[in-house]
Amino acid sequence: MAHVKPRHPKLTAKAFLRDLLFTLGVCLAIVLWAAVLWAGALWPSHVVYISCSKQDFARQDLANLQNALKLYHSRHQRFPSTEEGMREFVKRQLLDQVPIDPWGRPYGYELHEGHPRVWSLGADGAPGGEDVDADLFLEQR
């Protein structure tokens, strides 16, 4: 008895569309799965971000200002004078605007004995204080 080869189905438009839609569906499922995993990896940072206090934001601002001070000093071999203040960072395009603390007041700045000092007066806006009213300082040495 002779061996008969199985027939291969012809690739029809209907079969082509079915295979194409299946492939696109699989690709979409993979992309969605990756997006869910990526969003899940970011979720804890959002939770931390939401739970941060204003003092934490002020400390982060001070760290960013410290970086701006270092960059300014590396470019100009000096720190801005007290009179120039942080407007100099905006003028030199190191910052988009003069930074405002989380309580809506500009950060203080002075050049003291050649070293910059940056501060926020805390929630009460007055020198001193405890807890949320405590002053936050950055002194570049």
Side-chain angles (χ1 to χ4, degrees), residues 78-135:
R78 68 178 187 88
F79 292 110
S81 69
T82 300
E83 294 76 29
E84 291 171 318
M86 286 190 266
R87 290 184 313 277
E88 185 71 5
F89 294 136
V90 176
K91 178 181 171 185
R92 302 289 181 167
Q93 298 179 343
L94 294 174
L95 297 175
D96 293 332
Q97 61 187 20
V98 174
I100 303 296
D101 73 11
W103 299 277
R105 292 180 296 277
Y107 285 94
Y109 174 87
E110 72 175 348
L111 190 62
H112 180 70
E113 297 179 359
H115 300 287
R117 291 181 48 178
V118 182
W119 67 89
S120 167
L121 295 177
D124 64 356
E130 295 179 13
D131 297 325
V132 296
D133 295 332
D135 301 344

Side-chain angles (χ1 to χ4, degrees), residues 37-88:
L37 288 178
W38 182 71
L42 290 180
W43 176 251
S45 66
H46 284 101
V47 171
V48 171
Y49 178 81
I50 291 169
S51 68
C52 285
S53 68
K54 288 186 177 184
Q55 291 88 355
D56 293 332
F57 285 113
R59 285 185 195 96
Q60 185 60 50
D61 285 348
L62 291 173
N64 291 338
L65 290 170
Q66 183 174 32
N67 291 334
L69 282 164
K70 287 178 182 179
L71 185 57
Y72 184 92
H73 190 272
S74 71
R75 289 183 181 175
H76 304 286
Q77 288 67 52
R78 68 178 187 88
F79 292 110
S81 69
T82 300
E83 294 76 29
E84 291 171 318
M86 286 190 266
R87 290 184 313 277
E88 185 71 5

Side-chain angles (χ1 to χ4, degrees), residues 30-43:
I30 291 170
V31 168
L32 288 173
W33 179 71
V36 166
L37 288 178
W38 182 71
L42 290 180
W43 176 251

